[in-house]
Amino acid sequence: MAGCAAVFGLALYAGLILVPAWNSYSRLWQRLAASVLSLYVLILLVGIGVVGALAIIYFWG
């Protein structure tokens, strides 16, 4: 179930965030910078979700 959610989440990330960020710029370095920054945001949001889930698990019990 977690693997399916990860694949679905990465597909949504690629389709809704990465492709528009890539198509917004014409120069290669701008496209790469936009891709790196969007990947940074993805990692940050996943980290916030993991920390929130761990906090819920810790304080629930």
Side-chain angles (χ1 to χ4, degrees), residues 21-22 24-38:
W22 183 266
S24 296
Y25 300 101
S26 59
R27 294 183 178 158
L28 181 62
W29 71 270
Q30 291 173 333
R31 289 179 171 188
L32 291 175
S35 299
V36 169
L37 289 174
S38 68

Side-chain angles (χ1 to χ4, degrees), residues 1 20 24 30 32 36 45 50-51 56:
M1 184 175 223
S24 296
Q30 291 173 333
L32 291 175
V36 169
L45 291 175
V50 167
V51 168
I56 289 171

Side-chain angles (χ1 to χ4, degrees), residues 1 5 7 9 15 20-23 36-37 39 43 46 51 60:
M1 184 175 223
V7 169
W22 183 266
N23 290 332
V36 169
L37 289 174
L39 185 62
I43 291 169
V46 167
V51 168
W60 190 278

